[in-house]
Amino acid sequence: MIRIEARNSPPMLLKVGVPIFAAFVSLLLAAIPLAFAGANIGTAFVEMVRGVFGSVFAFSEMLTRATPLIFTGLAAAVAFRARLWNIGAEGQLYLGAMAAVAVGTGVLDVSGIILIPVIIIIGCFAGAFGMAVPVILKTRFGADEVVTTLLLNFIVLILVQMMLEGPLKDPMGLGWPQSSPILDQGMLPVLLDRMRVHSGLIIGLILALVLQLLITRSVWGFKLRAVGENIAASRHAGIRINRSLLSVAVCSGGLAGLAGVSEVIGLKGYLTADISPGFGYTGIVVAMLAGLSPVGVVVAALFIASVFVGADSMSRAMGVSSYLADLVVSMSLLCVLIGGFFAHYRVAWVSAPAKVKK
Amino acid sequence: MSAKNVLSLLSLSKRFGTTLANDQVTLDLKRGEILALLGENGAGKTTLMNMLFGHYLPDEGSILISNAEDKMVPLTPGHPQAALAAGIGMVHQHFTLAENLTALENITLGSEPLWALGTNKVKVREKIEKIIKRSGLKVDLNVAVGRLSVGEKQRVEILKALYRDAKILVLDEPTAVLTPQEADLLFKNIQAMTLDGLSVIFISHKLREVLEFSHRIVVLRNGKKVGEILTCDADEKIIANMMVGEDAKVLKRTKLKVGQSLLSLSAITLKGNSLRNSLSDISLVVHEHEVLGVAGVSGNGQSVLAELISGLSFPNLGEIKIGSNRIDKPSPMAMISAGIGRIPEDRHRDGIVGSMTVAENAILESLNDPRVQRFGFLRQEAMTDYAEKLCEAYDVRGPGVRFPARLLSGGNIQKLILARVFEKLPSLILANQPTRGLDLGAASDVERRLLDARNRGAGVILISEDLDEILRLSDRIMVMYSGELKEVSSRNREEIGMLMAGKNK
Ligand SMILES: Nc1ncnc2c1ncn2[C@@H]1O[C@H](COP(=O)(O)OP(=O)(O)OP(=O)(O)O)[C@@H](O)[C@H]1O
Ligand SMILES: [Mg+2]
């Protein structure tokens, strides 16, 4: 008979090992649709690996792809730790991006040392605002933040389209719905010559470390965890729940806003309505894969970006649909969720009762 | 009693990390017998019963249980389904009911498929009603469990076990949350059921009911079985001795002159969503050097009173004063900073964050204290040291301060909360059922600490269902009934009992 017993506190090795193992399993599972598509599985995997590690350029492309995922992953991880379900990182990303073009395209013509921080801060504020509203609705009126943040995504996207047809539209843009370009001095420096990977990545890495420290070591992080784990006891202990949730919301929204800022002033240089292929939603997967740990988010973002970039280049080389990447990402999430079960529960095979000696 | 054995535990052991929770415990149970399992907090009682029921897999030892032909056969270890099939029913220390389902649905949950409930409802209901009649455990089957009182919930839990044809009923501290009257009724019902051949093991810290209703007593200490005695040969002294190896200390409350007023509630009215959660025009005042006992059957407004003093609810009318300051915006933080230490009734819900460590829980209310934080960051070392000292001083036993608090036994969780409160030397202590679930030694320790606090000048509001406790500790006594609070001058048990039941002589 099979029996399932809860583990007291899952050992560290398991906590870290399970997601990694799950990631591998999901890659192996990817062989199934590949086989259906009639591709040679061996070559396909080789192409995928080459698509990420085959050249410095390929690797830098992967890092470029991982950058926004680090931000949105952190946004989801912080919020979820406090059991605040921010599904709206996608919308907050666009708010941050919009704010970046609003100040970065000429309104403020100052040197880069001033302009870049200003853009970053204003972008953070815009994203933070996008998450603060649903949380105020939650604490004031009990509105479920899952619904409000999700719906806000669509509202923001429509707003972006409207702005790109109106006030933010580039007069020199030949009628395309895109914004004017960010001033040259407002762009983040690239990290490698002739590659696209930019210093947004460094900002993301630093923020991940800072957040890790804050969550595990600071009083703010303590409150956030306490509120997430037991809201009644936290309230009883004098933690101001609403204030705590609001601060988490501001932090989470700000991080998502940064994802948009970094895409605009690090990569694209201008805003279009398709600047994010769902980075906000993928960030949720990243955070879950990472077990909501900020440092884990970095690893998970690199993994998912590798899958996307690898699958992309494989599909180009072999003529297989690149939707495969989405499939691997969703399977990795499922594998991690299932793996999480094994990390928290011990499953043992119990034999029939032993004969008792008498 | 010469009846046959229905159950034998043979040298069961269970280890959690470095804690040996059970050490070769051997135990027999006879048909129709009521066995009381006693021991200090953390002695391993719950663990032993969890092994019997298959929640834990024993590291060592085996379990024999009588089958349909009255033969003793081994029970598959670590498998609740097997335990259920063999006729073991367990009622846990904490309720495991689904609050939004009705009593009927809860009772059948797990034994009848949900879709069958529609078609079989009549049959199912008949079976349950038959059990209710036989056992005397009355509950309204159609009401959502969330709306039932704790006593009723307890009965639903037992009915659930009986519905599955339990031959052996295990009750883990069934009376911890019951009033003495409810507890007596429960045991009368259980006695009636044992005449039908049911065998019962119950865990309790209340010697009175153990002596009155059990046939045999088994005592655990530090995971080992240290004694076994027929109840007819036992008395309180003997048992206390077996449990802790020493006589229980007797408390002495010396008369003290009271000081200034610490907290006063005047003409407070609070309209809750039900009578249970309302206060109507109550007033009270507590002074320095004074224990104010609030007696009453639970569910008469005590929880709102406690919430009010904890800063969790607002009064609709009336005035709260701490010292001479009016509190216009009560909040938990305001109460804590005013020096009020609060011991909540529902320790799992309000007292601890189970998944955080014991050390983190120890400082849950001291996050601004420079001893544990600096520049907004927690000082890990200092925090661990502080928690370790606290656990030592208040005898909180468990796997260690770096482990999640939920791993502590029920009584040790309570001790941790008490330690957190007492350590801050509060000027006023709100103690809501502070000794519930504590063993004899720990309970008298808490009572001693409450009196010590009073002696050093603190005021204490003691809310308790245990009238003896109230009489032992209180300088003044008030009785709560149906949201009203009345001062009583008498110290006569019967008289106070009448008031608690709402009868004015
Ligand atoms: N899952 C677990 N992991 C680690 N330690 C545990 C676990 N369960 C119990 N313990 C430890 O085993 C010991 C016995 O616990 P148990 O819950 O059996 O005590 P108990 O006798 O029921 O006490 P109480 O009267 O307080 O309920 C305690 O020290 C407890 O901390
Ligand atoms: Mg117990």
Side-chain angles (χ1 to χ4, degrees):
Chain A
M1 267 183 274
I2 288 178
R3 77 164 255 115
I4 292 164
E5 188 172 293
R7 294 180 200 269
N8 287 341
S9 37
M12 201 56 196
L13 190 69
L14 217 55
K15 273 201 235 168
V16 176
V18 161
I20 294 177
F21 184 70
F24 269 106
V25 171
S26 63
L27 279 176
L28 289 183
L29 287 178
I32 299 171
L34 271 175
F36 271 106
N40 180 324
I41 295 169
T43 352
F45 275 116
V46 170
E47 282 298 331
M48 246 159 106
V49 172
R50 196 183 292 161
V52 181
F53 300 101
S55 64
V56 178
F57 176 73
F59 194 68
S60 80
E61 277 303 288
M62 185 276 282
L63 293 178
T64 314
R65 193 63 172 266
T67 305
L69 292 179
I70 293 177
F71 288 114
T72 54
L74 290 175
V78 179
F80 289 8
R81 268 293 176 95
R83 300 268 154 98
L84 187 65
W85 307 115
N86 179 6
I87 316 294
E90 185 78 4
Q92 292 141 26
L93 179 152
Y94 274 106
L95 285 175
M98 255 194 304
V101 292
V103 288
T105 51
V107 178
L108 207 64
D109 197 354
V110 288
S111 79
I113 313 174
I114 300 175
L115 186 57
I116 292 179
V118 168
I119 294 177
I120 288 180
I121 289 168
I122 302 237
C124 271
F125 268 111
F129 171 77
M131 187 55 200
V133 170
V135 167
I136 291 171
L137 290 177
K138 176 192 172 82
T139 50
R140 279 285 159 82
F141 307 108
D144 188 344
E145 78 275 16
V146 174
V147 179
T148 50
T149 55
L150 185 63
L151 292 182
L152 271 176
N153 286 341
F154 303 110
I155 297 174
V156 171
L157 198 60
I158 292 171
L159 180 72
V160 169
Q161 286 164 352
M162 208 178 81
M163 296 302 268
L164 288 180
E165 293 290 352
L168 288 182
K169 187 168 180 172
D170 183 3
M172 319 291 236
L174 302 173
W176 290 103
Q178 67 181 44
S179 75
S180 314
I182 297 283
L183 297 179
D184 276 346
Q185 73 268 32
M187 291 293 286
L188 288 173
V190 289
L191 292 180
L192 292 171
D193 247 2
R194 276 176 291 124
M195 314 252 163
R196 300 202 299 164
V197 60
H198 54 89
S199 30
L201 179 66
I202 307 294
I203 301 179
L205 293 180
I206 293 174
L207 282 179
L209 286 177
V210 170
L211 267 180
Q212 181 78 25
L213 201 69
L214 282 178
I215 288 184
T216 54
R217 292 294 159 95
S218 76
V219 174
W220 177 77
F222 182 104
K223 289 180 180 168
L224 168 159
R225 284 181 288 136
V227 169
E229 303 288 352
N230 185 345
I231 202 163
S234 306
R235 181 176 298 126
H236 187 271
I239 296 176
R240 297 193 170 92
I241 308 291
N242 291 354
R243 192 187 281 194
S244 222
L245 286 180
L246 196 62
S247 73
V248 171
V250 164
C251 180
S252 169
L255 284 162
L258 262 186
V261 171
S262 120
E263 284 302 278
V264 168
I265 69 169
L267 191 62
K268 298 281 165 60
Y270 54 87
L271 174 64
T272 56
D274 59 359
I275 197 170
S276 158
F279 287 136
Y281 301 107
T282 311
I284 297 173
V285 181
V286 170
M288 299 299 283
L289 260 176
L292 306 188
S293 130
V295 168
V297 161
V298 173
V299 180
L302 291 176
F303 168 71
I304 294 210
S306 304
V307 171
F308 274 126
V309 171
D312 246 4
S313 106
M314 186 260 303
S315 74
R316 257 180 278 119
M318 305 189 56
V320 187
S321 161
S322 69
Y323 284 120
L324 191 72
D326 291 314
L327 206 61
V328 174
V329 169
S330 12
M331 279 193 296
S332 69
L333 180 62
L334 285 178
C335 288
V336 166
L337 293 180
I338 296 170
F341 174 80
F342 288 102
H344 289 281
Y345 295 91
R346 185 180 293 126
V347 179
W349 183 261
V350 183
S351 55
K355 283 273 171 304
V356 189
K357 16 184 177 42
K358 255 246 161 102
Chain B
M1 205 171 276
S2 60
K4 271 211 182 128
N5 277 357
V6 288
L7 176 76
S8 302
L9 309 183
L10 300 173
S11 65
L12 288 180
S13 297
K14 180 79 188 171
R15 182 181 282 283
F16 294 113
T18 53
T19 339
L20 192 52
N22 279 149
D23 188 1
Q24 309 215 322
V25 180
T26 296
L27 189 142
D28 290 320
L29 181 68
K30 298 192 173 70
R31 169 151 309 134
E33 185 180 36
I34 302 180
L35 177 75
L37 190 57
L38 263 62
E40 296 175 274
N41 295 125
K45 307 175 295 290
T46 300
T47 306
L48 185 65
M49 292 302 109
N50 275 334
M51 283 197 283
L52 168 59
F53 193 63
H55 279 314
Y56 290 150
L57 194 63
D59 293 336
E60 225 179 273
S62 57
I63 300 169
L64 296 180
I65 189 162
S66 71
N67 65 2
E69 290 100 53
D70 254 352
K71 278 229 205 55
M72 297 299 276
V73 293
L75 175 73
T76 313
H79 213 268
Q81 226 57 43
L84 276 174
I88 301 173
M90 175 135 177
V91 177
H92 291 275
Q93 199 163 356
H94 318 294
F95 294 129
T96 55
L97 300 171
E99 300 253 309
N100 50 349
L101 298 184
T102 65
L104 183 107
E105 286 162 341
N106 263 293
I107 291 168
T108 54
L109 198 68
S111 36
E112 307 280 343
L114 274 178
W115 62 86
L117 211 57
T119 52
N120 281 353
K121 209 154 196 169
V122 183
K123 259 188 25 225
V124 166
R125 184 177 289 269
E126 258 171 29
K127 179 169 173 188
I128 299 177
E129 266 160 9
K130 217 185 266 164
I131 299 173
I132 293 183
K133 200 176 247 166
R134 244 197 2 247
S135 65
L137 301 164
K138 284 203 195 69
V139 281
D140 186 344
L141 292 175
N142 304 319
V143 173
V145 162
R147 311 235 320 264
L148 297 177
S149 74
V150 274
E152 290 164 324
K153 283 185 191 166
Q154 188 79 64
R155 293 201 277 272
V156 175
E157 286 273 14
I158 297 173
L159 284 172
K160 187 170 170 177
L162 294 178
Y163 183 81
R164 299 173 175 194
D165 302 313
K167 293 182 299 185
I168 298 168
L169 188 61
V170 177
L171 303 164
D172 194 349
E173 300 194 30
T175 59
V177 293
L178 300 187
T179 63
Q181 293 83 346
E182 282 176 314
D184 283 359
L185 182 66
L186 175 67
F187 278 111
K188 296 243 166 69
N189 295 333
I190 288 175
Q191 276 182 328
M193 289 184 277
T194 55
L195 299 181
D196 292 348
L198 184 78
S199 312
V200 177
I201 302 180
F202 77 95
I203 297 175
S204 176
H205 292 296
K206 298 182 182 168
L207 294 192
R208 190 188 57 84
E209 63 194 33
V210 168
L211 288 169
E212 196 167 336
F213 296 106
S214 74
H215 300 130
R216 196 154 53 94
I217 296 169
V218 166
V219 179
L220 294 185
R221 193 198 307 160
N222 290 332
K224 284 199 193 62
K225 179 163 131 184
V226 291
E228 185 170 352
I229 188 171
L230 288 177
T231 309
C232 50
D233 300 334
D235 64 22
E236 291 210 9
K237 225 173 156 153
I238 296 176
I239 304 177
N241 232 313
M242 282 164 89
M243 273 172 64
V244 283
E246 59 188 85
D247 292 340
K249 289 159 239 111
V250 188
L251 283 175
K252 274 225 2 232
R253 186 168 49 88
T254 46
K255 261 211 149 1
L256 285 179
K257 232 184 93 177
V258 302
Q260 286 168 343
S261 147
L262 290 167
L263 172 81
S264 74
L265 306 181
S266 18
I268 298 262
T269 294
L270 196 157
K271 293 194 186 70
N273 48 6
S274 70
L275 210 59
R276 242 172 232 207
N277 293 319
S278 301
L279 299 174
S280 61
D281 193 21
I282 64 157
S283 298
L284 67 77
V285 68
V286 202
H287 303 95
E288 291 169 344
H289 291 299
E290 183 177 57
V291 177
L292 173 67
V294 176
V297 178
S298 80
N300 275 295
Q302 289 97 326
S303 18
V304 227
L305 177 64
E307 275 177 22
L308 186 77
I309 301 173
S310 306
L312 291 163
S313 331
F314 290 85
N316 298 93
L317 287 173
E319 189 185 62
I320 306 174
K321 266 174 139 180
I322 296 179
S324 51
N325 300 330
R326 230 185 101 120
I327 302 288
D328 289 317
K329 273 206 190 137
S331 74
M333 203 60 215
M335 297 307 192
I336 294 170
S337 357
I340 301 184
R342 298 115 355 105
I343 302 167
E345 174 182 19
D346 189 337
R347 62 189 72 138
H348 287 274
R349 197 191 64 195
D350 297 326
I352 61 157
V353 182
S355 54
M356 292 174 79
T357 65
V358 172
E360 287 175 319
N361 275 285
I363 60 150
L364 193 58
E365 293 184 348
S366 324
L367 293 175
N368 296 326
D369 189 332
R371 272 180 303 173
V372 295
Q373 74 127 320
R374 196 189 284 154
F375 312 126
F377 279 83
L378 291 166
R379 303 166 59 183
Q380 302 289 328
E381 297 281 300
M383 186 174 103
T384 316
D385 281 355
Y386 174 77
E388 264 162 5
K389 287 213 190 76
L390 206 62
C391 289
E392 171 108 26
Y394 291 81
D395 195 26
V396 181
R397 293 180 215 174
V401 299
R402 290 168 201 272
F403 284 84
R406 72 183 146 78
L407 295 181
L408 297 181
S409 80
N412 280 303
I413 288 179
Q414 180 72 346
K415 285 198 250 171
L416 175 63
I417 297 170
L418 291 162
R420 190 171 74 199
V421 169
F422 283 122
E423 195 57 18
K424 293 180 96 181
L425 299 177
S427 58
L428 177 72
I429 299 172
L430 167 71
N432 195 358
Q433 317 289 357
T435 58
R436 185 183 273 178
L438 290 189
D439 67 54
L440 273 185
S444 80
D445 206 48
V446 170
E447 295 187 353
R448 199 199 78 233
R449 284 184 194 275
L450 286 174
L451 281 186
D452 282 351
R454 156 198 182 262
N455 295 346
R456 78 167 155 75
V460 176
I461 299 179
L462 171 68
I463 301 179
S464 176
E465 283 173 344
D466 183 346
L467 194 47
D468 295 314
E469 181 169 276
I470 296 254
L471 288 168
R472 260 197 309 277
L473 298 183
S474 311
D475 297 296
R476 277 190 303 126
I477 298 176
M478 299 183 94
V479 171
M480 189 139 212
Y481 179 75
S482 183
E484 290 175 27
L485 198 56
K486 286 206 188 79
E487 175 123 24
V488 286
S489 45
S490 146
R491 295 211 149 238
N492 180 309
R493 278 188 63 103
E494 265 74 66
E495 222 168 288
I496 298 177
M498 294 287 274
L499 285 169
M500 282 166 65
K503 297 187 190 104
N504 263 322
K505 43 181 176 170

